[in-house]
Amino acid sequence: MIETKRNGEWFQITIPNEWENYTVQDLFRKVWQAPKKQVHALRMEKRVFVNEKEADWTQLLRKKDTLAIRFFQNEALPYEAKFYDITILYEDDHLLVVNKPAGMDTHPNSPEQNDSLANAVAYYLQSKGEFRAFKHIHRLDRDTTGAVLFAKHAFVGALLDNMLEKREIKRTYLALIHGILKNKKGTIHKPIGRDRHHATRRRVSSSGQDAITHYRLVKVDSKRNLSLVQCMLDTGRTHQIRVHLSHIGHPLAGDLIYGGKPLFSRQALHAVKLQLTHPFTQESITCFAPFSDKPEIFPDIDPHQLP
Protein backbone atom coordinates (compact mmCIF):
# COMPACT_ATOMS: atom_id res chain seq x y z
CA MET A 1 0.00 0.00 0.00
CA ILE A 2 1.29 3.47 -0.88
CA GLU A 3 1.80 5.84 2.06
CA THR A 4 -0.43 8.92 1.88
CA LYS A 5 -1.84 11.56 4.21
CA ARG A 6 -3.77 14.82 4.15
CA ASN A 7 -2.25 18.10 5.29
CA GLY A 8 -4.92 20.81 5.19
CA GLU A 9 -5.77 21.49 1.55
CA TRP A 10 -2.89 19.30 0.38
CA PHE A 11 -2.74 15.58 -0.36
CA GLN A 12 0.70 14.11 0.32
CA ILE A 13 2.18 10.93 -1.16
CA THR A 14 5.48 9.33 -0.17
CA ILE A 15 7.02 8.08 -3.41
CA PRO A 16 7.32 4.25 -3.31
CA ASN A 17 10.01 2.07 -4.92
CA GLU A 18 7.96 1.40 -8.05
CA TRP A 19 7.64 5.11 -8.87
CA GLU A 20 11.35 5.89 -8.55
CA ASN A 21 12.76 7.35 -11.77
CA TYR A 22 9.36 8.49 -12.98
CA THR A 23 9.05 12.21 -13.57
CA VAL A 24 6.08 14.08 -12.07
CA GLN A 25 4.66 14.29 -15.56
CA ASP A 26 5.04 10.50 -16.01
CA LEU A 27 3.18 9.89 -12.77
CA PHE A 28 0.19 11.97 -13.79
CA ARG A 29 -0.01 10.88 -17.42
CA LYS A 30 1.26 7.29 -17.43
CA VAL A 31 0.53 5.91 -13.96
CA TRP A 32 -2.73 7.73 -13.19
CA GLN A 33 -3.65 8.38 -16.85
CA ALA A 34 -5.13 11.70 -15.81
CA PRO A 35 -6.80 13.94 -18.43
CA LYS A 36 -4.43 16.42 -20.05
CA LYS A 37 -6.75 19.32 -19.23
CA GLN A 38 -6.68 18.58 -15.50
CA VAL A 39 -2.92 18.00 -15.45
CA HIS A 40 -2.40 21.31 -17.28
CA ALA A 41 -4.61 23.14 -14.75
CA LEU A 42 -2.69 21.70 -11.79
CA ARG A 43 0.56 22.74 -13.40
CA MET A 44 -0.51 26.28 -14.33
CA GLU A 45 -2.09 26.89 -10.91
CA LYS A 46 1.09 25.66 -9.14
CA ARG A 47 -0.85 23.05 -7.15
CA VAL A 48 1.88 20.36 -7.24
CA PHE A 49 4.97 20.40 -4.99
CA VAL A 50 7.86 17.96 -4.45
CA ASN A 51 9.69 18.09 -1.12
CA GLU A 52 7.96 21.38 -0.28
CA LYS A 53 9.09 23.10 -3.48
CA GLU A 54 7.14 23.84 -6.64
CA ALA A 55 7.41 20.75 -8.81
CA ASP A 56 9.82 20.48 -11.72
CA TRP A 57 7.63 18.29 -13.91
CA THR A 58 10.61 16.80 -15.79
CA GLN A 59 12.78 15.97 -12.77
CA LEU A 60 13.05 12.29 -11.76
CA LEU A 61 11.35 11.33 -8.52
CA ARG A 62 13.26 9.41 -5.84
CA LYS A 63 12.10 6.93 -3.24
CA LYS A 64 10.77 8.72 -0.10
CA ASP A 65 10.28 12.02 -1.92
CA THR A 66 7.11 13.79 -0.80
CA LEU A 67 4.67 14.72 -3.55
CA ALA A 68 1.96 17.20 -2.49
CA ILE A 69 -1.12 18.07 -4.56
CA ARG A 70 -3.65 20.75 -3.60
CA PHE A 71 -6.92 18.87 -3.95
CA PHE A 72 -8.98 20.07 -0.98
CA GLN A 73 -9.69 23.76 -1.44
CA ASN A 74 -13.32 24.77 -0.93
CA GLU A 75 -15.56 24.72 -4.02
CA ALA A 76 -19.25 25.28 -4.67
CA LEU A 77 -21.36 22.20 -4.01
CA PRO A 78 -22.76 20.91 -7.34
CA TYR A 79 -26.23 20.23 -5.85
CA GLU A 80 -28.53 21.86 -3.33
CA ALA A 81 -27.93 20.41 0.14
CA LYS A 82 -30.97 18.60 1.55
CA PHE A 83 -30.99 16.44 4.67
CA TYR A 84 -31.67 12.73 4.40
CA ASP A 85 -30.39 10.10 6.80
CA ILE A 86 -28.03 8.19 4.49
CA THR A 87 -25.84 5.18 5.32
CA ILE A 88 -22.14 5.56 4.51
CA LEU A 89 -20.42 2.30 3.52
CA TYR A 90 -16.93 3.73 2.94
CA GLU A 91 -15.33 7.14 3.09
CA ASP A 92 -11.90 8.75 2.89
CA ASP A 93 -10.64 12.10 1.62
CA HIS A 94 -11.26 11.10 -2.00
CA LEU A 95 -14.06 8.51 -2.16
CA LEU A 96 -17.53 8.08 -0.71
CA VAL A 97 -19.76 4.99 -1.04
CA VAL A 98 -23.40 5.36 0.01
CA ASN A 99 -26.16 2.76 0.42
CA LYS A 100 -28.99 4.21 -1.70
CA PRO A 101 -32.53 3.53 -0.44
CA ALA A 102 -35.50 2.70 -2.67
CA GLY A 103 -37.60 5.52 -4.14
CA MET A 104 -34.68 7.95 -4.51
CA ASP A 105 -32.99 9.13 -7.70
CA THR A 106 -29.20 9.02 -7.77
CA HIS A 107 -29.08 12.66 -8.93
CA PRO A 108 -31.65 15.38 -9.72
CA ASN A 109 -33.39 15.08 -13.08
CA SER A 110 -34.44 18.73 -13.16
CA PRO A 111 -33.09 22.01 -11.72
CA GLU A 112 -35.83 22.19 -9.08
CA GLN A 113 -35.45 18.61 -7.78
CA ASN A 114 -33.71 18.42 -4.40
CA ASP A 115 -34.64 14.99 -3.00
CA SER A 116 -32.02 12.84 -4.73
CA LEU A 117 -29.08 10.94 -3.25
CA ALA A 118 -26.74 13.63 -4.59
CA ASN A 119 -28.66 16.28 -2.61
CA ALA A 120 -28.32 14.14 0.52
CA VAL A 121 -24.57 13.72 -0.10
CA ALA A 122 -24.24 17.50 -0.52
CA TYR A 123 -25.86 17.98 2.90
CA TYR A 124 -23.67 15.30 4.48
CA LEU A 125 -20.45 16.85 3.17
CA GLN A 126 -21.57 20.39 4.01
CA SER A 127 -22.33 19.30 7.59
CA LYS A 128 -18.70 18.16 7.85
CA GLY A 129 -17.40 21.44 6.45
CA GLU A 130 -16.36 19.79 3.18
CA PHE A 131 -17.39 21.95 0.22
CA ARG A 132 -16.36 19.83 -2.76
CA ALA A 133 -17.26 19.50 -6.45
CA PHE A 134 -18.20 15.85 -5.89
CA LYS A 135 -19.77 13.62 -8.55
CA HIS A 136 -21.40 10.20 -8.82
CA ILE A 137 -19.35 7.67 -10.78
CA HIS A 138 -22.28 5.45 -11.70
CA ARG A 139 -26.04 5.44 -11.14
CA LEU A 140 -28.78 3.19 -9.82
CA ASP A 141 -32.41 3.29 -10.93
CA ARG A 142 -34.79 5.12 -8.61
CA ASP A 143 -36.19 1.89 -7.13
CA THR A 144 -32.93 -0.07 -7.10
CA THR A 145 -31.11 -0.06 -3.76
CA GLY A 146 -27.47 -0.46 -2.82
CA ALA A 147 -23.93 0.86 -3.17
CA VAL A 148 -23.24 4.05 -5.17
CA LEU A 149 -19.71 5.41 -5.57
CA PHE A 150 -18.98 9.15 -5.42
CA ALA A 151 -15.73 11.02 -6.09
CA LYS A 152 -15.10 13.89 -3.67
CA HIS A 153 -13.03 16.00 -6.07
CA ALA A 154 -12.67 16.36 -9.84
CA PHE A 155 -9.25 14.77 -10.22
CA VAL A 156 -10.14 11.47 -8.55
CA GLY A 157 -13.46 11.58 -10.41
CA ALA A 158 -11.57 11.49 -13.71
CA LEU A 159 -9.46 8.54 -12.53
CA LEU A 160 -12.55 6.62 -11.38
CA ASP A 161 -14.37 7.33 -14.66
CA ASN A 162 -11.42 5.77 -16.48
CA MET A 163 -11.40 2.77 -14.13
CA LEU A 164 -15.12 2.23 -14.68
CA GLU A 165 -14.68 2.36 -18.46
CA LYS A 166 -11.85 -0.20 -18.21
CA ARG A 167 -14.08 -2.44 -16.02
CA GLU A 168 -11.78 -2.10 -13.03
CA ILE A 169 -14.67 -1.22 -10.69
CA LYS A 170 -16.65 -4.40 -10.00
CA ARG A 171 -20.34 -4.20 -9.14
CA THR A 172 -22.34 -7.16 -7.88
CA TYR A 173 -26.14 -7.20 -7.72
CA LEU A 174 -28.78 -9.50 -6.28
CA ALA A 175 -32.00 -9.91 -8.24
CA LEU A 176 -35.13 -11.89 -7.39
CA ILE A 177 -36.61 -13.14 -10.65
CA HIS A 178 -39.71 -15.02 -11.76
CA GLY A 179 -39.26 -18.70 -12.60
CA ILE A 180 -36.61 -21.28 -11.81
CA LEU A 181 -33.36 -20.89 -13.75
CA LYS A 182 -32.38 -24.01 -15.70
CA ASN A 183 -28.69 -23.08 -15.85
CA LYS A 184 -26.93 -22.32 -12.57
CA LYS A 185 -24.75 -19.70 -14.26
CA GLY A 186 -24.39 -17.97 -17.59
CA THR A 187 -23.69 -14.79 -19.53
CA ILE A 188 -26.16 -12.62 -21.42
CA HIS A 189 -24.37 -10.70 -24.18
CA LYS A 190 -27.05 -8.69 -25.98
CA PRO A 191 -26.96 -5.03 -27.09
CA ILE A 192 -29.42 -2.67 -25.42
CA GLY A 193 -31.11 0.34 -27.01
CA ARG A 194 -34.09 2.61 -26.48
CA ASP A 195 -37.63 1.38 -26.99
CA ARG A 196 -39.13 3.85 -29.47
CA HIS A 197 -42.64 2.97 -28.25
CA HIS A 198 -41.95 3.79 -24.59
CA ALA A 199 -40.02 6.84 -23.33
CA THR A 200 -38.36 5.19 -20.34
CA ARG A 201 -38.05 1.57 -21.48
CA ARG A 202 -34.98 -0.08 -22.96
CA ARG A 203 -34.89 -3.26 -25.03
CA VAL A 204 -32.51 -5.73 -26.62
CA SER A 205 -31.76 -4.22 -30.01
CA SER A 206 -29.21 -5.03 -32.71
CA SER A 207 -28.57 -1.29 -33.09
CA GLY A 208 -28.11 -0.75 -29.34
CA GLN A 209 -24.98 -0.48 -27.20
CA ASP A 210 -22.96 -3.54 -26.27
CA ALA A 211 -24.08 -5.00 -22.93
CA ILE A 212 -22.77 -7.99 -20.95
CA THR A 213 -24.35 -9.44 -17.79
CA HIS A 214 -22.97 -12.49 -15.94
CA TYR A 215 -25.37 -14.29 -13.60
CA ARG A 216 -25.23 -17.11 -11.05
CA LEU A 217 -28.07 -18.87 -9.25
CA VAL A 218 -27.87 -18.32 -5.48
CA LYS A 219 -31.12 -19.77 -4.16
CA VAL A 220 -34.49 -21.11 -5.33
CA ASP A 221 -37.85 -20.22 -3.77
CA SER A 222 -40.05 -23.05 -5.09
CA LYS A 223 -43.15 -21.92 -3.18
CA ARG A 224 -43.23 -18.55 -4.93
CA ASN A 225 -41.60 -19.82 -8.16
CA LEU A 226 -38.74 -17.34 -7.78
CA SER A 227 -34.97 -17.53 -8.17
CA LEU A 228 -32.41 -15.38 -6.40
CA VAL A 229 -29.54 -14.62 -8.77
CA GLN A 230 -26.23 -12.82 -8.39
CA CYS A 231 -25.35 -10.57 -11.34
CA MET A 232 -22.09 -8.91 -12.33
CA LEU A 233 -21.83 -6.29 -15.07
CA ASP A 234 -19.10 -5.83 -17.64
CA THR A 235 -21.01 -2.80 -18.95
CA GLY A 236 -23.34 -0.28 -17.36
CA ARG A 237 -26.29 0.31 -19.67
CA THR A 238 -29.53 1.83 -18.43
CA HIS A 239 -31.80 -0.91 -16.97
CA GLN A 240 -29.25 -3.52 -18.10
CA ILE A 241 -30.03 -6.29 -15.59
CA ARG A 242 -33.77 -5.70 -15.86
CA VAL A 243 -33.72 -5.84 -19.67
CA HIS A 244 -31.39 -8.84 -19.94
CA LEU A 245 -33.20 -11.04 -17.43
CA SER A 246 -36.58 -10.18 -18.92
CA HIS A 247 -35.17 -11.02 -22.35
CA ILE A 248 -34.39 -14.61 -21.26
CA GLY A 249 -37.86 -15.03 -19.78
CA HIS A 250 -37.12 -14.24 -16.14
CA PRO A 251 -38.21 -10.67 -15.35
CA LEU A 252 -37.51 -9.22 -11.93
CA ALA A 253 -40.26 -9.63 -9.36
CA GLY A 254 -42.00 -6.30 -8.90
CA ASP A 255 -40.68 -4.90 -12.18
CA LEU A 256 -43.92 -3.98 -13.97
CA ILE A 257 -42.13 -2.20 -16.83
CA TYR A 258 -40.35 -5.37 -17.95
CA GLY A 259 -42.99 -8.03 -17.30
CA GLY A 260 -42.63 -8.69 -13.59
CA LYS A 261 -45.62 -9.32 -11.32
CA PRO A 262 -46.49 -6.83 -8.56
CA LEU A 263 -45.23 -8.95 -5.68
CA PHE A 264 -43.43 -5.97 -4.13
CA SER A 265 -43.59 -2.19 -4.22
CA ARG A 266 -40.49 -2.05 -6.47
CA GLN A 267 -38.28 -4.21 -8.65
CA ALA A 268 -36.29 -6.70 -6.55
CA LEU A 269 -32.80 -5.47 -7.40
CA HIS A 270 -30.02 -4.54 -4.97
CA ALA A 271 -26.42 -3.45 -5.63
CA VAL A 272 -24.94 -5.61 -2.89
CA LYS A 273 -21.18 -5.29 -3.42
CA LEU A 274 -18.73 -2.75 -4.88
CA GLN A 275 -15.04 -3.55 -5.37
CA LEU A 276 -12.16 -1.40 -6.58
CA THR A 277 -8.48 -0.67 -6.08
CA HIS A 278 -7.94 2.77 -4.57
CA PRO A 279 -6.41 4.94 -7.33
CA PHE A 280 -3.90 6.55 -4.94
CA THR A 281 -3.07 4.06 -2.17
CA GLN A 282 -3.55 0.89 -4.29
CA GLU A 283 -5.54 -0.52 -1.36
CA SER A 284 -8.19 -3.13 -2.24
CA ILE A 285 -11.62 -1.82 -1.21
CA THR A 286 -14.73 -4.00 -0.91
CA CYS A 287 -18.04 -2.50 0.24
CA PHE A 288 -21.06 -4.60 1.22
CA ALA A 289 -24.45 -2.89 1.18
CA PRO A 290 -26.97 -4.28 3.71
CA PHE A 291 -30.57 -4.72 2.55
CA SER A 292 -32.59 -1.68 3.54
CA ASP A 293 -35.98 -3.42 3.10
CA LYS A 294 -35.07 -6.98 4.13
CA PRO A 295 -36.86 -9.34 4.62
CA GLU A 296 -39.73 -7.93 2.54
CA ILE A 297 -37.98 -8.76 -0.74
CA PHE A 298 -34.73 -10.61 -0.21
CA PRO A 299 -34.39 -13.87 1.72
CA ASP A 300 -32.00 -14.37 4.61
CA ILE A 301 -28.73 -13.90 2.70
CA ASP A 302 -25.51 -12.58 4.23
CA PRO A 303 -23.88 -10.31 1.59
CA HIS A 304 -20.43 -11.10 3.05
CA GLN A 305 -20.83 -14.78 2.10
CA LEU A 306 -21.31 -14.09 -1.60
CA PRO A 307 -18.32 -14.97 -3.82
Side-chain angles (χ1 to χ4, degrees):
M1 192 169 73
I2 295 171
E3 182 182 342
T4 68
K5 71 174 183 178
R6 178 175 173 180
N7 184 9
E9 294 186 346
W10 295 81
F11 173 57
Q12 294 185 355
I13 305 175
T14 301
I15 300 301
N17 291 338
E18 58 265 33
W19 290 354
E20 194 169 30
N21 294 324
Y22 278 103
T23 64
V24 175
Q25 184 166 286
D26 288 338
L27 182 60
F28 277 85
R29 293 188 176 175
K30 295 180 180 179
V31 176
W32 289 330
Q33 298 178 30
K36 291 182 179 179
K37 184 177 180 180
Q38 290 203 18
V39 174
H40 180 73
L42 289 171
R43 191 169 183 169
M44 292 299 100
E45 294 167 12
K46 305 185 188 313
R47 289 164 56 192
V48 181
F49 278 56
V50 175
N51 298 328
E52 300 183 353
K53 296 180 181 178
E54 185 182 335
D56 177 346
W57 286 68
T58 61
Q59 182 177 344
L60 295 177
L61 294 166
R62 301 298 181 191
K63 180 183 175 182
K64 300 297 184 181
D65 278 350
T66 299
L67 176 73
I69 312 168
R70 188 168 176 249
F71 280 152
F72 306 119
Q73 68 271 34
N74 284 344
E75 301 173 281
L77 291 168
Y79 303 101
E80 178 185 348
K82 182 73 177 292
F83 173 75
Y84 191 93
D85 188 15
I86 53 178
T87 300
I88 307 302
L89 303 177
Y90 175 86
E91 183 179 11
D92 61 25
D93 291 324
H94 312 279
L95 314 180
L96 181 70
V97 183
V98 185
N99 192 11
K100 190 184 85 66
M104 177 180 271
D105 292 316
T106 300
H107 59 85
N109 294 308
S110 62
E112 64 274 7
Q113 184 180 354
N114 64 3
D115 60 353
S116 73
L117 187 64
N119 297 110
V121 167
Y123 185 95
Y124 171 76
L125 293 177
Q126 177 181 273
S127 70
K128 297 174 59 182
E130 294 186 26
F131 294 84
R132 304 279 180 266
F134 71 90
K135 61 175 285 188
H136 61 277
I137 301 304
H138 61 103
R139 295 178 294 178
L140 294 179
D141 295 341
R142 179 179 177 83
D143 287 326
T144 297
T145 55
V148 178
L149 173 63
F150 288 85
K152 292 173 100 178
H153 56 82
F155 187 83
V156 77
L159 303 192
L160 293 172
D161 282 342
N162 186 43
M163 290 172 64
L164 187 69
E165 186 175 346
K166 292 161 61 178
R167 303 175 185 175
E168 294 174 353
I169 299 175
K170 305 297 183 184
R171 293 167 289 162
T172 303
Y173 295 76
L174 282 177
L176 196 61
I177 61 174
H178 291 291
I180 309 302
L181 279 177
K182 294 180 180 179
N183 300 319
K184 290 189 176 181
K185 62 181 180 178
T187 297
I188 307 169
H189 190 174
K190 296 288 184 180
I192 292 175
R194 291 183 177 274
D195 186 336
R196 62 179 180 273
H197 302 296
H198 194 292
T200 59
R201 273 178 59 103
R202 300 295 189 273
R203 64 185 181 91
V204 169
S205 168
S206 59
S207 61
Q209 294 178 297
D210 189 44
I212 303 171
T213 303
H214 306 286
Y215 65 86
R216 183 184 70 85
L217 179 65
V218 175
K219 194 172 183 179
V220 168
D221 184 345
S222 300
K223 290 183 179 180
R224 296 189 294 176
N225 193 35
L226 299 173
S227 296
L228 181 70
V229 294
Q230 177 179 322
C231 299
M232 291 190 68
L233 305 181
D234 279 356
T235 52
R237 308 306 175 203
T238 301
H239 299 178
Q240 179 172 320
I241 292 173
R242 299 165 65 187
V243 172
H244 271 171
L245 290 174
S246 178
H247 180 73
I248 65 170
H250 295 282
L252 272 64
D255 192 356
L256 304 185
I257 292 179
Y258 293 105
K261 297 177 182 178
L263 300 184
F264 312 112
S265 59
R266 66 176 183 90
Q267 70 263 10
L269 185 61
H270 179 71
V272 69
K273 185 164 66 171
L274 181 89
Q275 298 166 279
L276 72 153
T277 298
H278 198 289
F280 295 128
T281 68
Q282 296 302 301
E283 176 188 7
S284 179
I285 298 171
T286 300
C287 298
F288 294 94
F291 305 116
S292 56
D293 47 8
K294 180 185 175 184
E296 178 196 349
I297 295 179
F298 293 99
D300 190 18
I301 296 292
D302 182 357
H304 294 79
Q305 294 179 349
L306 295 170

